[in-house]
Amino acid sequence: MIQLGIQSIQLRGQASNKSEAIKLVASLLVANGNMQAAYSDSMLQREKIANTYLGNGIAIPHGLPKDRELILQTGIAVAQFPEGVEWNSGEIVYLVVGIAARSDEHIELLANLTDVLDDAATIQRLAKTTNAMDIIDCLTKSRDSNTQANESNANNNVHVDDFEKSIDVELNSDGGLHARPATAFVEIAKQFQSEVRVRHGSKIANGKSLVSLLKLGANKRVTIRIMVSGHDEDSALKALADAVRLGLEDEAESGHALPVASSQVMLNFSTPPVAGIAGSIGIAIGPIRHFRHEKIVVAVTAQSPDVEETRLNHAIASAKIQLQNLHDEVKERSGAAHAAIFLAHIEFLSDPDLLEAAVCNIKLGHSAGWAWRDSYSKRAAEVGSLEDALLKERANDILDIGRRVLRLLADALEEEPTAMTEPAILVAEDLSPSDTAKLDPKMVLGICTAAGGPTSHTAIIARSLDIPAIVGAGPAVLNYQDGVMGILDGHTGNLYLNPSEGDLVIARNAQQDQQDQRMAENLACYEPAMTTDGHRVEVVANIGAAAEAEQAVNAGSEGVGLLRTEFLFLQRSEPPSEEEQYKSYCEMTKALNGLPLIIRTLDIGGDKEVPYLSLPSEENPFLGVRGIRLCLARPDLFKPQLRAIYRAGMTGPVKIMFPMIATVEELLAAKAIAEEIRKEMNANPIEIGIMIEVPSAVLMAPELARHADFFSVGTNDLTQYVLAMDRLHPSLSRQADALHPAVLRMIDLTVKAAKSAGIWVGVCGGIAGDPKGAAILTGLGVTELSMSIPSVAAVKAKVRKMSYTESVALAKRALACSTAAEVRAL
Ligand code: PEP
Ligand code: MG
């Protein structure tokens, strides 16, 4: 163990803030020859990305792994602050234990520190002592004596506490079982019901408690015994042992890894925060500005009930048209899922109860406006008083729709909000989907709402517009004046009002880091997505228009993994001709210049309606004649498309992909038609793959693989069919998470079947473009990730930062999870 001499202790230290305290302890380490002065900056930098407050008045500042070469000789210094120094808001520190550690020599000392952590009386004594030896004794007295002292209450040394089911594993993390690996261990342990204990020598720790694990003082390369007891003990033991063998995610501490993505960094501000719920990541800095609704004035009574009823019906019809237009606009800009809420709003407007109550009021002599407002406000109040949080949030939707119609019935609009003239953080009680959709992203730096939860549309739309947002910040936030300066941290969900100069500097630096990170990702977008241990993943794009092929290449995409050909069929009055389709595909092969183009045949039906096809309306369109079923039922559409594809196949590496395959028969039937066309045209064969987006396709994957050249998993649909949750449902769509273990297990089965048959698997659903998703999918053995163009650079960067071994371990852990939230927490 390292020695701690009197020269390493500073009693009665004076510091007015955390930085001064760190500088003081750093100066001791420099004076004692432990480190170069520059490591002190590294210690300050570390505070920006991690909280080194250990608990109970003790902090352990240390530098960044990348600066380890500035450490001359591992050492520790302690500065005592009897008056206390504020570390982070509300955390008062009396003992600052500065660490300059090249390796794990300090672990034993840290273990002693954690021994006194629960002992408030000892800490108070050390905080006030005038004898440096008290501190030295406490930190350096042999672990055995500490153990004995604590044994009675910590249960640390009792043999009978061993569980029968156990495994001995050597610690593979570079720094031993220090804070980060121990945290990783606890996170895994908590995923299981079983009790988990860890033995190191004579000590036993609770595997689900961080402090307990730190108390073990386990250095690197020591062997620990993991013990489990409970109904899921086998899987718990396996998951924990695997994680320990793989180093417990300790790579970043080893000094070899790249810096943590700035978007995931925890920032420590000295200004007290208004705490809300993280809605959309990113940092916004600027003055706040309140969003106010206009006041809609309507007469209470009216002369003619008939006239009022007609006015109401007209207003509702106009509102439906507005909503349809809004839907189309948002869909164009942010995709179908984000636009779906406006379809739900149209549906709300057809609610007979809402209308009936309004008509009743009209018959009693009220104006259409008054009658309507009374009806929707009462309905919103009813929904708002429900227990279910998701339903509660729908009250906001009812008010939003209500106001939309009311505006059309208004006699006057008062206090209309003025357009924003300079960029600001928008603060509001809540924002309706219509309000959010109208926002100008250039003027809105960030959004903070007093109400709402993570499922609110404010959060969802803010994410799609890439605006940092927090929701549910509470009504106090509404009391601040327009113009008050704010920092909004969308990652933690905190808003800092009237921030200090120091905090503004931290925020600006973090914002700059994020921009730099994006820029770096974009600059490196043409580099292959190769893991640190040499495993290559193909990163390609999903496109839905000819012009996007070129944009995809410019963004670093290595081809097109999914061409949604529906774009050729929508918003027109008749189907496109073979020639038109051919020209469009050729435009893409030309732009791709030798890169692959996977053309998915028409996937109409479900949510994708084409009026001129006059398809019969269906009770359950998602379970009806959609995708390949429609292609097979309508050879007049299918055959010209196949002809156009085979012709385009002469101009570049084109592949065919069939959507929504649910049975082997469908695949064989579709292939037979394709082959018939090919022969007629005397064209070259083209590889034919299928989308895996129906549970039956997963279960039949071994059979389907015999007839397909590749699989591409459509996680958007697969998720909705596996979880039985409509992908466009306004309140369920958030739970329909493609990282749900049920969906991941489906992908795992698909990959295994494909591997046995010797074909490759891609993923082209939304989750492939989420860096977390990309990491897990890579670990599951997926070899191609296809995503929207803006995600290409970030996903490639993510793959390049991880090792394949790590991602395989991550995928294993994800498969063992019980919920999507657990997977995301990994
Ligand atoms: C999917 O279902 O995941 C998919 C990529 O297809 P689409 O979103 O076009 O239905
Ligand atoms: Mg699909």
Side-chain angles (χ1 to χ4, degrees), residues 220-238:
K220 84 171 159 180
R221 302 280 167 230
V222 301
T223 296
I224 56 169
R225 175 167 300 171
I226 306 171
M227 303 174 289
V228 287
S229 167
H231 77 269
D232 53 1
E233 55 190 27
D234 287 333
S235 25
L237 199 61
K238 184 167 178 331

Side-chain angles (χ1 to χ4, degrees), residues 10 45 71 244 277 328 409 428 431 538 585 604 658-659 755 811:
Q10 168 74 57
Q45 286 299 324
I71 297 169
V244 171
I277 299 163
D328 296 347
L409 294 168
L431 288 174
E538 211 176 320
Y585 302 150
I604 297 278
F658 296 134
K755 269 199 181 144

Side-chain angles (χ1 to χ4, degrees), residues 29-50:
L29 288 163
V30 174
N32 292 332
N34 297 115
M35 63 186 217
Q36 292 180 24
Y39 194 70
S40 145
D41 284 339
S42 185
M43 290 167 99
L44 292 168
Q45 286 299 324
R46 171 135 219 156
E47 294 300 315
K48 290 187 193 161
I49 58 168

Side-chain angles (χ1 to χ4, degrees), residues 313-327 342 345-351 355 401 404-405 408:
N313 287 334
H314 282 166
I316 290 178
S318 307
K320 283 185 180 174
I321 295 171
Q322 285 180 359
L323 285 165
Q324 186 63 52
N325 291 341
L326 202 51
H327 166 266
F342 299 109
H345 279 196
I346 295 178
E347 206 50 48
F348 270 125
L349 279 182
S350 308
D351 181 329
L355 201 63
I401 309 154
R404 178 176 292 281
V405 176
L408 296 166

Side-chain angles (χ1 to χ4, degrees), residues 562 564 600 603 608 691 693 714-717 727 764-765:
L562 166 65
R564 291 185 165 103
R600 181 176 74 181
D603 184 20
K608 298 161 191 160
M691 299 269 303
E693 39 190 356
T715 47
N716 307 337
D717 275 313
R727 65 193 262 188
C764 60

